[in-house]
Amino acid sequence: MVLQKRLDYGFNGYEVPHTPRAARSPRKSAFKKKNESHQISSFDLLAAVAGKLLLEGGNSSSSSNNASSGNNDDQCAVKTEPLNGRDTTVEEETTNNIAERSFFVSEILPKSHEIQSYNRSPSPLTEFHFGSSSGVTSDSSEKFETQELVYEDTKIDNSDCYRSECNDNKSMLGGLNFEAKLSRNVVAKDENHIGSGFRKPIPQNPSLCSDDIDLLGKENDDDGENLSARYRTKSFRSTLRIGNHFASKYCKVSPKPRDTTTVTNSDLDMKHGYYSKKHCLKSQRLERNYPIKKRRYFDGYTASQSEENAKTEGLSGSPRKTSGFLSSIACQKQPAVQSRDSHVKLGIKSFRVPELFIEIPETATVGSLKRTVLEALTSILGGELRIGVLVHGKKVRDDSKILLQSGISLDTLSDTLGFCLEPNPPQSTKPLPPEDSDYVRPCNVPHTLTRCLPSPGKHAKPSNSVESDLDSKPSAPNRAKTIYSRALIPVRPLHVQALTVVPPRKTKRSVVAQRRIRRPFSVAEVEALVQAVERLGTGRWRDVKLRAFDNAKHRTYVDLKDKWKTLVHTARISPQQRRGEPVPQELLDRVLTAHAYWSQQQGKHLLLEGPKKLETSLGL
DNA sequence: CTTAGGG
DNA sequence: CCCTAAG
């Protein structure tokens, strides 16, 4: 019942982030004044459903499978049911079974059923009925993965293994995907974390996700990318899942329990089932030395800029990174409801909780595992639950927008609308030091997914020597006994693919380029940079790179240029305003001197005898 | 691929 | 750090 309570909280707190930015493809024509007055509030309902889902989850292990089926019967737009209705004993529940314990949030809404999305209901909960749906049979363990997107009328095959797997099974198992990590530490089971988002559970594993912190910086950046980044950070890992099972199911990779690399790879593969190996290699290489120049799409949903954009942008908005959250709520347009009221009818097929990482000892009991997962889950969603709306994979944050304004219309609904659950005030959890971009993955997989790979020993690495810093070779994760898997369920925005003539799935590579982890320059690096610039000037960053940072694979000449820029700025502001590791004034002075010198030099344009070295000029 | 700058 | 227009 505690869950119920939280559910309520979540409800109250529900609020879609504001989205200042206009729709990618403002289609004025789409604005039918007729609908302007309509405000969609069904999201609230969705939130309610989600909450309900939680509730179900919380009780699933001990209560009946119809915990909430006693609600309204009519107009139940969404049905929810604990996947694992039958209450199996702990002994019986294998890891897989646990995973299987996802929650079936909803079924395809019968055509006849319609959700009057526009009518704000004072009591959202009443609009959703959480009845029990068809039972999930034993084989469900093989399909615990949620159905990502289910198209009723448009059978779109995105071809990624993960997806197709799902489609194979008629049973749309929505729900929670569990990902567990076995380790020596048990996630604390205290309840202090309630309401604090997943802050609690995560800290247990500081090495899992490290970098996201700085991502939280820009708060009002309406840019989709940034938004994504933010969410990735705050809401990261919310999908619980038993990696091994997942791997075996969705990836070719043979599941090897306790094999970190394998599992990880599996996940990666899963995520990029259609990712060509070749591309992986390339990607890796790129990331290794230089920033990937491809547009980054957020977790899961990614595509090469050229291809994806070309394919979808022109049609109905550019695909954007989607939030890292789950979004396996499938909605669909009701074919026969082209009614003039232009009401959007959508059926929610399933929910999936965002990815989540938990740590639990291998020796823990299944029961404790369940408990842990449950706790982690509730802690995540417990705080404030809310629903995110995705249109073309892009989050729509402006609640005031009408559907049409957001690009949600009868014509495109089924292909563009998506939802995602997200813990409210996304708490920035203690990010775990992400693996270095140079990290060499066991197999050729998109680097992006390694973001949370454990990187022991990388924490306290106060580099004093330029050497060490310049050549910060990430230590390879060493967790033989840890089962680590990731469950980044790609939130594939419904592409307009179905509506376009573009040949479906043609080299639909997805490059999940992730923002590089922030790696503040150390004093030593600054020193090296300054020295190099003094000698080479400020217009030869490549040379600077080669000269002083040739071994620092993670520093590109662009980085150096940027750093110089900031150094110059830093040198000009008062020491009080400076942040981060303090740079010796001496260096800053040199920065200013060199900057002034080279600026002048550049201005002089005198290359008669070649640019004199600053050093020479200064008599150094 | 590099630069140079704005974001 | 990212993204990109220019060269």
Side-chain angles (χ1 to χ4, degrees):
Chain A
M1 290 311 103
V2 176
L3 290 172
Q4 178 63 64
K5 193 173 183 178
R6 278 192 228 122
L7 167 60
D8 294 337
Y9 290 153
F11 225 163
N12 296 332
Y14 154 64
E15 179 182 62
V16 175
H18 184 67
T19 304
R21 175 164 292 186
R24 283 290 183 286
S25 306
R27 290 169 297 182
K28 298 290 171 87
S29 60
F31 289 71
K32 300 172 184 176
K33 67 170 185 177
K34 189 156 190 172
N35 296 313
E36 290 180 343
S37 61
H38 296 298
Q39 289 294 322
I40 187 168
S41 63
S42 59
F43 302 149
D44 288 28
L45 303 182
L46 294 177
V49 174
K52 205 68 178 177
L53 169 60
L54 256 188
L55 181 59
E56 292 282 317
N59 297 327
S60 64
S61 61
S62 59
S63 62
S64 66
N65 53 357
N66 285 328
S68 58
S69 62
N71 295 331
N72 303 330
D73 296 309
D74 48 13
Q75 15 191 357
C76 66
V78 178
K79 288 185 178 182
T80 307
E81 173 193 42
L83 200 50
N84 194 0
R86 64 200 190 302
D87 196 39
T88 51
T89 63
V90 174
E91 286 67 33
E92 292 177 353
E93 293 220 344
T94 62
T95 302
N96 290 345
N97 287 336
I98 295 172
E100 163 186 359
R101 201 182 258 302
S102 35
F103 302 92
F104 184 58
V105 177
S106 65
E107 290 188 304
I108 300 298
L109 185 62
K111 299 278 198 269
S112 59
H113 285 114
E114 297 178 0
I115 300 173
Q116 297 302 318
S117 304
Y118 290 110
N119 297 323
R120 182 173 288 280
S121 169
S123 175
L125 285 172
T126 63
E127 291 218 13
F128 288 88
H129 179 68
F130 298 85
S132 57
S133 59
S134 59
V136 176
T137 55
S138 58
D139 65 327
S140 62
S141 62
E142 291 298 301
K143 331 163 186 171
F144 70 91
E145 179 49 287
T146 310
Q147 184 107 10
E148 191 66 25
L149 300 173
V150 182
Y151 296 84
E152 192 65 350
D153 21 57
T154 57
K155 301 290 186 184
I156 298 176
D157 179 12
N158 278 321
S159 80
D160 53 271
C161 64
Y162 152 61
R163 163 62 161 281
S164 42
E165 282 288 338
C166 291
N167 288 331
D168 285 342
N169 308 308
K170 289 310 180 213
S171 64
M172 282 160 274
L173 307 179
L176 310 176
N177 293 300
F178 293 84
E179 174 171 15
K181 174 183 178 181
L182 301 189
S183 67
R184 292 166 186 68
N185 299 317
V186 185
V187 174
K189 25 184 127 175
D190 62 73
E191 321 218 2
N192 297 323
H193 57 285
I194 293 177
S196 64
F198 20 8
R199 173 164 297 179
K200 190 64 180 181
I202 302 301
Q204 289 295 324
N205 198 350
S207 62
L208 282 181
C209 306
S210 62
D211 147 280
D212 301 307
I213 263 179
D214 55 311
L215 294 173
L216 301 178
K218 301 176 182 178
E219 189 47 66
N220 279 329
D221 204 324
D222 52 72
D223 194 300
E225 290 88 303
N226 287 309
L227 171 63
S228 301
R230 218 162 59 233
Y231 277 119
R232 172 177 66 208
T233 296
K234 300 174 180 177
S235 57
F236 67 98
R237 289 131 214 48
S238 297
T239 299
L240 297 177
R241 174 167 69 66
I242 300 303
N244 294 332
H245 175 65
F246 192 93
S248 64
K249 182 56 188 175
Y250 297 95
C251 304
K252 266 59 174 191
V253 180
S254 61
K256 295 177 183 177
R258 291 182 175 66
D259 182 326
T260 301
T261 60
T262 299
V263 174
T264 299
N265 293 334
S266 298
D267 282 345
L268 295 174
D269 285 347
M270 172 276 288
K271 183 170 182 175
H272 300 278
Y274 44 84
Y275 201 104
S276 71
K277 177 169 292 183
K278 175 183 177 183
H279 192 73
C280 290
L281 288 170
K282 181 179 180 182
S283 176
Q284 236 180 342
R285 184 179 68 71
L286 288 174
E287 283 238 355
R288 202 184 200 68
N289 299 308
Y290 299 95
I292 288 182
K293 295 187 177 180
K294 292 180 179 177
R295 175 172 287 287
R296 300 113 172 321
Y297 288 98
F298 189 51
D299 292 347
Y301 165 54
T302 66
S304 73
Q305 184 172 21
S306 57
E307 294 177 8
E308 267 322 321
N309 284 357
K311 187 180 298 179
T312 59
E313 194 147 22
L315 292 163
S316 50
S318 63
R320 281 293 182 177
K321 296 188 258 186
T322 61
S323 80
F325 277 104
L326 86 159
S327 97
S328 48
I329 301 172
C331 49
Q332 61 182 358
K333 170 181 64 180
Q334 300 294 310
V337 287
Q338 290 290 348
S339 55
R340 33 208 155 308
D341 59 2
S342 294
H343 281 194
V344 175
K345 336 264 186 186
L346 45 139
I348 301 173
K349 303 197 172 177
S350 63
F351 274 88
R352 178 166 52 224
V353 175
E355 184 180 32
L356 168 69
F357 284 112
I358 61 173
E359 237 178 31
I360 190 168
E362 295 172 301
T363 56
T365 64
V366 175
S368 69
L369 170 60
K370 285 157 68 174
R371 238 188 345 270
T372 302
V373 171
L374 175 60
E375 288 167 348
L377 238 189
T378 55
S379 69
I380 288 177
L381 298 175
E384 309 241 325
L385 181 64
R386 52 184 212 181
I387 298 294
V389 178
L390 304 171
V391 177
H392 287 299
K394 180 178 171 32
K395 233 185 173 64
V396 176
R397 281 175 282 185
D398 190 347
D399 284 358
S400 64
K401 271 187 179 178
I402 64 170
L403 293 183
L404 285 173
Q405 281 181 306
S406 300
I408 301 172
S409 67
L410 281 175
D411 298 328
T412 60
L413 181 57
S414 64
D415 302 298
T416 63
L417 186 59
F419 296 94
C420 65
L421 277 183
E422 47 190 61
N424 207 0
Q427 304 254 341
S428 67
T429 58
K430 167 62 180 176
L432 308 168
E435 201 37 74
D436 181 274
S437 56
D438 302 321
Y439 171 61
V440 179
R441 259 152 252 83
C443 87
N444 305 316
V445 290
H447 162 71
T448 312
L449 299 180
T450 64
R451 135 165 79 90
C452 288
L453 286 178
S455 63
K458 183 164 195 304
H459 295 289
K461 190 200 76 174
S463 55
N464 294 321
S465 68
V466 177
E467 276 313 321
S468 64
D469 245 11
L470 297 182
D471 185 53
S472 56
K473 186 77 177 182
S475 56
N478 179 26
R479 299 192 172 195
K481 294 288 285 180
T482 298
I483 290 180
Y484 186 85
S485 62
R486 179 173 293 87
L488 285 185
I489 306 308
V491 177
R492 293 179 123 291
L494 320 164
H495 296 285
V496 288
Q497 207 169 22
L499 304 178
T500 74
V501 243
V502 179
R505 59 127 99 236
K506 187 226 171 192
T507 25
K508 186 159 196 164
R509 324 169 300 181
S510 75
V511 181
V512 183
Q514 180 187 330
R515 185 191 181 93
R516 291 188 301 159
I517 60 175
R518 182 169 178 275
R519 301 175 119 195
F521 276 68
S522 65
V523 173
E525 287 180 295
V526 172
E527 162 74 54
L529 176 59
V530 171
Q531 191 174 313
V533 173
E534 286 174 334
R535 183 182 303 277
L536 302 171
T538 55
R540 302 163 62 189
W541 299 109
R542 179 169 173 281
D543 291 334
V544 171
K545 153 74 176 174
L546 266 39
R547 179 192 180 80
F549 293 79
D550 198 28
N551 293 318
K553 304 176 190 65
H554 58 298
R555 302 297 190 196
T556 69
Y557 44 75
V558 174
D559 292 331
L560 302 181
K561 181 264 297 175
D562 287 341
K563 179 55 183 174
W564 184 261
K565 181 172 62 176
T566 60
L567 275 176
V568 171
H569 177 259
T570 299
R572 290 171 169 166
I573 62 178
S574 66
Q576 293 72 49
Q577 302 177 67
R578 296 169 190 165
R579 293 184 297 177
E581 186 179 10
V583 177
Q585 187 58 45
E586 177 262 328
L587 276 178
L588 294 177
D589 291 340
R590 287 168 65 186
V591 167
L592 288 179
T593 302
H595 179 264
Y597 175 81
W598 288 108
S599 294
Q600 175 187 309
Q601 208 63 202
Q602 190 171 44
K604 280 185 178 179
H605 209 271
L606 298 175
L607 300 175
L608 299 177
E609 55 184 279
K612 301 182 297 181
K613 293 179 183 176
L614 174 58
E615 296 171 337
T616 303
S617 175
L618 297 176
L620 297 176

mmCIF file of all heavy atoms in Angstrom, chain A residues 3-25:
data_model
loop_
_atom_site.group_PDB
_atom_site.id
_atom_site.type_symbol
_atom_site.label_atom_id
_atom_site.label_comp_id
_atom_site.label_asym_id
_atom_site.label_seq_id
_atom_site.Cartn_x
_atom_site.Cartn_y
_atom_site.Cartn_z
ATOM 1 N N LEU A 3 3.100 1.605 -1.793
ATOM 2 C CA LEU A 3 3.279 1.899 -3.196
ATOM 3 C C LEU A 3 2.141 2.757 -3.699
ATOM 4 O O LEU A 3 2.326 3.685 -4.454
ATOM 5 C CB LEU A 3 3.330 0.592 -3.984
ATOM 6 C CG LEU A 3 4.596 -0.207 -3.726
ATOM 7 C CD1 LEU A 3 4.473 -1.557 -4.376
ATOM 8 C CD2 LEU A 3 5.775 0.561 -4.273
ATOM 9 N N GLN A 4 1.021 2.376 -3.258
ATOM 10 C CA GLN A 4 -0.135 3.127 -3.697
ATOM 11 C C GLN A 4 0.057 4.589 -3.348
ATOM 12 O O GLN A 4 -0.217 5.486 -4.116
ATOM 13 C CB GLN A 4 -1.383 2.588 -3.004
ATOM 14 C CG GLN A 4 -2.622 3.348 -3.370
ATOM 15 C CD GLN A 4 -2.911 3.216 -4.843
ATOM 16 O OE1 GLN A 4 -3.172 2.129 -5.335
ATOM 17 N NE2 GLN A 4 -2.822 4.306 -5.574
ATOM 18 N N LYS A 5 0.529 4.739 -2.208
ATOM 19 C CA LYS A 5 0.715 6.094 -1.738
ATOM 20 C C LYS A 5 1.643 6.852 -2.670
ATOM 21 O O LYS A 5 1.378 7.946 -3.111
ATOM 22 C CB LYS A 5 1.336 6.036 -0.349
ATOM 23 C CG LYS A 5 1.306 7.373 0.385
ATOM 24 C CD LYS A 5 1.792 7.154 1.790
ATOM 25 C CE LYS A 5 1.719 8.415 2.626
ATOM 26 N NZ LYS A 5 2.158 8.173 3.987
ATOM 27 N N ARG A 6 2.705 6.191 -2.936
ATOM 28 C CA ARG A 6 3.667 6.843 -3.796
ATOM 29 C C ARG A 6 3.097 7.104 -5.163
ATOM 30 O O ARG A 6 3.394 8.054 -5.806
ATOM 31 C CB ARG A 6 4.893 5.963 -3.942
ATOM 32 C CG ARG A 6 5.799 6.131 -2.772
ATOM 33 C CD ARG A 6 7.105 5.497 -3.089
ATOM 34 N NE ARG A 6 7.493 4.674 -1.980
ATOM 35 C CZ ARG A 6 7.718 3.403 -2.102
ATOM 36 N NH1 ARG A 6 7.623 2.835 -3.270
ATOM 37 N NH2 ARG A 6 8.051 2.699 -1.080
ATOM 38 N N LEU A 7 2.311 6.195 -5.496
ATOM 39 C CA LEU A 7 1.703 6.363 -6.801
ATOM 40 C C LEU A 7 1.003 7.705 -6.838
ATOM 41 O O LEU A 7 1.090 8.459 -7.775
ATOM 42 C CB LEU A 7 0.682 5.257 -7.017
ATOM 43 C CG LEU A 7 -0.230 5.487 -8.200
ATOM 44 C CD1 LEU A 7 0.622 5.575 -9.452
ATOM 45 C CD2 LEU A 7 -1.207 4.353 -8.288
ATOM 46 N N ASP A 8 0.346 7.939 -5.791
ATOM 47 C CA ASP A 8 -0.378 9.193 -5.741
ATOM 48 C C ASP A 8 0.574 10.368 -5.844
ATOM 49 O O ASP A 8 0.324 11.340 -6.526
ATOM 50 C CB ASP A 8 -1.156 9.290 -4.434
ATOM 51 C CG ASP A 8 -2.236 8.233 -4.392
ATOM 52 O OD1 ASP A 8 -2.638 7.780 -5.479
ATOM 53 O OD2 ASP A 8 -2.653 7.870 -3.310
ATOM 54 N N TYR A 9 1.622 10.211 -5.161
ATOM 55 C CA TYR A 9 2.586 11.300 -5.229
ATOM 56 C C TYR A 9 2.967 11.540 -6.673
ATOM 57 O O TYR A 9 2.968 12.634 -7.172
ATOM 58 C CB TYR A 9 3.862 10.932 -4.462
ATOM 59 C CG TYR A 9 3.653 10.881 -2.980
ATOM 60 C CD1 TYR A 9 4.431 10.072 -2.184
ATOM 61 C CD2 TYR A 9 2.663 11.670 -2.401
ATOM 62 C CE1 TYR A 9 4.257 10.060 -0.824
ATOM 63 C CE2 TYR A 9 2.485 11.651 -1.036
ATOM 64 C CZ TYR A 9 3.272 10.842 -0.252
ATOM 65 O OH TYR A 9 3.110 10.816 1.098
ATOM 66 N N GLY A 10 3.308 10.435 -7.222
ATOM 67 C CA GLY A 10 3.761 10.567 -8.587
ATOM 68 C C GLY A 10 2.719 11.271 -9.418
ATOM 69 O O GLY A 10 3.030 12.096 -10.256
ATOM 70 N N PHE A 11 1.585 10.950 -9.127
ATOM 71 C CA PHE A 11 0.538 11.545 -9.907
ATOM 72 C C PHE A 11 0.502 13.037 -9.752
ATOM 73 O O PHE A 11 0.442 13.804 -10.671
ATOM 74 C CB PHE A 11 -0.781 10.975 -9.433
ATOM 75 C CG PHE A 11 -1.603 10.603 -10.588
ATOM 76 C CD1 PHE A 11 -2.669 9.774 -10.457
ATOM 77 C CD2 PHE A 11 -1.276 11.080 -11.833
ATOM 78 C CE1 PHE A 11 -3.425 9.429 -11.536
ATOM 79 C CE2 PHE A 11 -2.010 10.727 -12.914
ATOM 80 C CZ PHE A 11 -3.095 9.898 -12.779
ATOM 81 N N ASN A 12 0.559 13.402 -8.555
ATOM 82 C CA ASN A 12 0.485 14.829 -8.308
ATOM 83 C C ASN A 12 1.673 15.544 -8.913
ATOM 84 O O ASN A 12 1.564 16.661 -9.378
ATOM 85 C CB ASN A 12 0.467 15.091 -6.804
ATOM 86 C CG ASN A 12 -0.790 14.498 -6.198
ATOM 87 O OD1 ASN A 12 -1.798 14.389 -6.885
ATOM 88 N ND2 ASN A 12 -0.723 14.084 -4.952
ATOM 89 N N GLY A 13 2.729 14.855 -8.816
ATOM 90 C CA GLY A 13 3.930 15.507 -9.301
ATOM 91 C C GLY A 13 4.091 15.427 -10.793
ATOM 92 O O GLY A 13 4.983 16.009 -11.369
ATOM 93 N N TYR A 14 3.249 14.728 -11.362
ATOM 94 C CA TYR A 14 3.391 14.554 -12.800
ATOM 95 C C TYR A 14 3.420 15.885 -13.520
ATOM 96 O O TYR A 14 2.604 16.766 -13.321
ATOM 97 C CB TYR A 14 2.209 13.729 -13.307
ATOM 98 C CG TYR A 14 1.911 14.015 -14.737
ATOM 99 C CD1 TYR A 14 2.829 13.718 -15.733
ATOM 100 C CD2 TYR A 14 0.719 14.623 -15.053
ATOM 101 C CE1 TYR A 14 2.540 14.004 -17.034
ATOM 102 C CE2 TYR A 14 0.418 14.896 -16.370
ATOM 103 C CZ TYR A 14 1.329 14.591 -17.359
ATOM 104 O OH TYR A 14 1.041 14.863 -18.648
ATOM 105 N N GLU A 15 4.356 15.990 -14.317
ATOM 106 C CA GLU A 15 4.450 17.218 -15.089
ATOM 107 C C GLU A 15 5.449 17.018 -16.198
ATOM 108 O O GLU A 15 6.565 16.612 -16.001
ATOM 109 C CB GLU A 15 4.917 18.335 -14.197
ATOM 110 C CG GLU A 15 5.062 19.619 -14.965
ATOM 111 C CD GLU A 15 5.566 20.708 -14.066
ATOM 112 O OE1 GLU A 15 6.673 20.577 -13.549
ATOM 113 O OE2 GLU A 15 4.855 21.677 -13.865
ATOM 114 N N VAL A 16 4.998 17.326 -17.315
ATOM 115 C CA VAL A 16 5.894 17.177 -18.440
ATOM 116 C C VAL A 16 6.756 18.406 -18.541
ATOM 117 O O VAL A 16 6.275 19.522 -18.436
ATOM 118 C CB VAL A 16 5.101 17.021 -19.737
ATOM 119 C CG1 VAL A 16 6.047 16.981 -20.912
ATOM 120 C CG2 VAL A 16 4.265 15.762 -19.668
ATOM 121 N N PRO A 17 8.003 18.176 -18.702
ATOM 122 C CA PRO A 17 8.938 19.293 -18.822
ATOM 123 C C PRO A 17 8.525 20.237 -19.924
ATOM 124 O O PRO A 17 7.957 19.832 -20.919
ATOM 125 C CB PRO A 17 10.259 18.608 -19.153
ATOM 126 C CG PRO A 17 10.100 17.240 -18.640
ATOM 127 C CD PRO A 17 8.649 16.901 -18.801
ATOM 128 N N HIS A 18 8.852 21.403 -19.698
ATOM 129 C CA HIS A 18 8.481 22.403 -20.676
ATOM 130 C C HIS A 18 9.385 22.328 -21.887
ATOM 131 O O HIS A 18 10.572 22.126 -21.794
ATOM 132 C CB HIS A 18 8.602 23.773 -20.040
ATOM 133 C CG HIS A 18 8.151 24.852 -20.961
ATOM 134 N ND1 HIS A 18 6.836 24.997 -21.349
ATOM 135 C CD2 HIS A 18 8.843 25.808 -21.621
ATOM 136 C CE1 HIS A 18 6.739 26.038 -22.177
ATOM 137 N NE2 HIS A 18 7.945 26.548 -22.357
ATOM 138 N N THR A 19 8.791 22.524 -22.976
ATOM 139 C CA THR A 19 9.587 22.486 -24.194
ATOM 140 C C THR A 19 9.449 23.790 -24.947
ATOM 141 O O THR A 19 8.490 24.011 -25.666
ATOM 142 C CB THR A 19 9.110 21.361 -25.123
ATOM 143 O OG1 THR A 19 9.160 20.140 -24.395
ATOM 144 C CG2 THR A 19 9.993 21.294 -26.343
ATOM 145 N N PRO A 20 10.383 24.592 -24.750
ATOM 146 C CA PRO A 20 10.383 25.903 -25.400
ATOM 147 C C PRO A 20 10.467 25.785 -26.906
ATOM 148 O O PRO A 20 9.822 26.498 -27.633
ATOM 149 C CB PRO A 20 11.641 26.571 -24.855
ATOM 150 C CG PRO A 20 12.045 25.755 -23.687
ATOM 151 C CD PRO A 20 11.551 24.377 -23.957
ATOM 152 N N ARG A 21 11.263 24.909 -27.297
ATOM 153 C CA ARG A 21 11.501 24.814 -28.714
ATOM 154 C C ARG A 21 10.273 24.362 -29.473
ATOM 155 O O ARG A 21 9.533 23.503 -29.045
ATOM 156 C CB ARG A 21 12.633 23.827 -28.979
ATOM 157 C CG ARG A 21 12.838 23.595 -30.448
ATOM 158 C CD ARG A 21 14.150 22.958 -30.685
ATOM 159 N NE ARG A 21 15.238 23.863 -30.365
ATOM 160 C CZ ARG A 21 16.499 23.563 -30.602
ATOM 161 N NH1 ARG A 21 16.816 22.442 -31.143
ATOM 162 N NH2 ARG A 21 17.436 24.411 -30.285
ATOM 163 N N ALA A 22 10.153 24.937 -30.572
ATOM 164 C CA ALA A 22 9.008 24.596 -31.398
ATOM 165 C C ALA A 22 9.210 23.225 -31.999
ATOM 166 O O ALA A 22 10.303 22.691 -32.031
ATOM 167 C CB ALA A 22 8.861 25.617 -32.514
ATOM 168 N N ALA A 23 8.142 22.731 -32.472
ATOM 169 C CA ALA A 23 8.212 21.411 -33.055
ATOM 170 C C ALA A 23 9.170 21.433 -34.218
ATOM 171 O O ALA A 23 9.352 22.461 -34.871
ATOM 172 C CB ALA A 23 6.830 20.984 -33.534
ATOM 173 N N ARG A 24 9.784 20.321 -34.427
ATOM 174 C CA ARG A 24 10.738 20.250 -35.501
ATOM 175 C C ARG A 24 10.126 20.700 -36.826
ATOM 176 O O ARG A 24 10.685 21.453 -37.567
ATOM 177 C CB ARG A 24 11.231 18.804 -35.652
ATOM 178 C CG ARG A 24 12.232 18.444 -34.606
ATOM 179 C CD ARG A 24 13.515 19.175 -34.859
ATOM 180 N NE ARG A 24 14.535 18.806 -33.895
ATOM 181 C CZ ARG A 24 14.505 19.224 -32.663
ATOM 182 N NH1 ARG A 24 13.540 20.001 -32.250
ATOM 183 N NH2 ARG A 24 15.451 18.861 -31.835
ATOM 184 N N SER A 25 9.021 20.200 -37.034
ATOM 185 C CA SER A 25 8.393 20.545 -38.289
ATOM 186 C C SER A 25 7.036 21.167 -38.046
ATOM 187 O O SER A 25 6.016 20.531 -38.078
ATOM 188 C CB SER A 25 8.214 19.289 -39.131
ATOM 189 O OG SER A 25 9.428 18.639 -39.257
#
